[in-house]
Amino acid sequence: MPSGVHQVEVGLPINKVWDFVKDMDNWAPLIPGYIQHRKFSNRQSTWEFYSNIGFIKKKISLMVTIKEWIEPTRVTFHLKGLNEELSGGGYFLAEAIDKNKTGITGFIEITAGGAMGPFVNTVLKSNLPKVTKEMAIAISTKLEELNRI
């Protein structure tokens, strides 16, 4: 299954990281290709992205279902394509390094189905690590910006 994982450190206590991450409105717009998201409940939402992976350029709609919120360390989620045969999941993990430093890990895995699935999965394998890295860096940068104010 194509996947990406990236770890960063932020100079903030874990509770400040959790305060930001527990509300998807704070970080959803930081995901590469973000168009919009709509929450139906605290655990279910739709997300729209502009995909620019290789020569695949299109709008992707995903149903995101939160499987667990474990304060202050972990959010896991399931992904299901609404306009494409995509499925997968991922997690956000925060680990206290010390009282003023937190390690953040983002992980995403997505598999494409259908006739084009094998080709799309090949493209995803090379691009998901980059997207995951961009997302983790954007979240850590935003966290540090907000806490300088």
Side-chain angles (χ1 to χ4, degrees):
M1 181 177 284
S3 65
V5 64
H6 191 75
Q7 297 176 314
V8 293
E9 289 183 10
V10 293
L12 297 168
I14 195 168
N15 65 316
K16 292 239 184 211
V17 172
W18 182 258
D19 287 344
F20 181 80
V21 171
K22 71 181 179 185
D23 183 353
M24 72 178 69
D25 291 339
N26 290 334
W27 54 271
L30 303 174
I31 296 172
Y34 174 84
I35 297 171
Q36 66 180 354
H37 73 281
R38 179 174 170 216
K39 290 196 290 190
F40 298 104
S41 70
N42 191 35
R43 291 195 175 261
Q44 199 162 53
S45 58
T46 56
W47 296 39
E48 291 184 0
F49 303 90
Y50 177 72
S51 170
N52 188 4
I53 298 174
F55 66 85
I56 301 170
K57 295 172 176 45
K58 63 184 340 183
K59 186 167 92 171
I60 303 293
S61 297
L62 297 172
M63 175 65 69
V64 179
T65 303
I66 303 295
K67 294 178 3 184
E68 62 183 355
W69 292 100
I70 302 174
E71 184 176 349
T73 59
R74 189 174 181 96
V75 179
T76 60
F77 54 90
H78 178 263
L79 304 170
K80 180 170 178 26
L82 298 175
N83 66 334
E84 298 291 331
E85 285 190 54
L86 299 170
S87 64
Y91 62 81
F92 174 88
L93 179 65
E95 298 173 289
I97 296 169
D98 62 34
K99 68 178 187 164
N100 291 314
K101 190 183 286 186
T102 304
I104 298 172
T105 304
F107 173 79
I108 299 172
E109 61 183 7
I110 299 174
T111 299
M116 292 293 291
F119 171 74
V120 174
N121 287 326
T122 299
V123 175
L124 286 171
K125 279 182 185 176
S126 62
N127 283 282
L128 271 179
K130 177 181 171 230
V131 169
T132 306
K133 179 179 180 178
E134 289 174 10
M135 179 182 72
I137 290 170
I139 290 170
S140 66
T141 300
K142 186 69 168 180
L143 272 164
E144 289 181 339
E145 285 174 5
L146 289 172
N147 285 284
R148 272 190 228 125
I149 299 172

